[in-house]
Amino acid sequence: SKIELGDVTPHNIKQLKRLNQVVFPVSYNDKFYKDVLEAGELAKLAYYNDIVVGAVCCRIDTSENSRRLYIMTLGCLYPYRRLGIGSKMVEHVLKYVHADGNFDSIFLHVQVNNEGAIDFYKKFGFEIVETKEHYYKRIEPADAHVLQKTLRPKITNGDVKTGEEKKDNEK
């Protein structure tokens, strides 16, 4: 059995739409799909033995004075989970950010009760950095964890900022 990633094109965008309808509890609008068509390497369909079974869609986020990659969607049809398809998609994203070399982090939102997804991303070095209340509309639970993988520490005023700040009085 072989897993391959392929481009999203006007010819197969309907397969992406159908896949997202089946995999995710939220729906995506036409603008989402229009943007995906222009995303290049940031949007991929995952094939298992030539059948579309998953997809990943990302965009570059430049808010908060940093350049981050946002994973909008990454999903796989239920019967094809735990076969390495999700890992192949995450590895594609990691390869992309490392080749680019200019990203501070990668982040995504995960519904707070989606323990399978949270454990999956933790294997790749993502951690929960924030929980947003009422992030989702029309689904329960409505809260989302923000998962982030930091690629390089933030530098502000010449100091490298890490999770734990050093106190001035410590010598």
Side-chain angles (χ1 to χ4, degrees), residues 12-56:
N12 61 27
I13 189 94
K14 281 199 171 73
Q15 285 182 285
L16 174 65
K17 280 186 187 180
R18 188 73 196 106
L19 182 97
N20 284 350
Q21 285 168 346
V22 172
V23 172
F24 299 109
V26 294
S27 56
Y28 295 90
N29 61 23
D30 290 341
K31 185 188 181 324
F32 172 91
Y33 292 103
K34 189 175 161 294
D35 291 346
V36 161
L37 280 175
E38 288 162 21
E41 286 300 301
L42 294 179
K44 289 287 181 186
L45 290 174
Y47 294 85
Y48 184 78
N49 289 339
D50 300 323
I51 302 162
V52 174
V53 296
V56 57

Side-chain angles (χ1 to χ4, degrees), residues 80-144:
Y80 296 91
R81 289 185 189 164
R82 307 195 74 83
L83 295 173
I85 296 157
S87 296
K88 179 117 179 169
M89 291 188 283
V90 172
E91 284 156 12
H92 172 77
V93 169
L94 293 175
K95 240 187 279 182
Y96 179 90
V97 296
H98 289 302
D100 177 282
N102 201 24
F103 285 97
D104 297 297
S105 61
I106 308 170
F107 75 111
L108 66 145
H109 293 90
V110 175
Q111 202 173 4
V112 292
N113 64 339
N114 191 344
E115 282 163 28
I118 293 161
D119 292 343
F120 171 78
Y121 285 106
K122 281 183 172 174
K123 285 192 313 198
F124 291 95
F126 285 78
E127 50 193 357
I128 296 170
V129 293
E130 190 185 350
T131 302
K132 295 199 168 178
E133 293 187 355
H134 315 296
Y135 177 77
Y136 297 106
K137 294 154 186 56
R138 298 185 289 281
I139 61 166
E140 284 297 326
D143 300 349

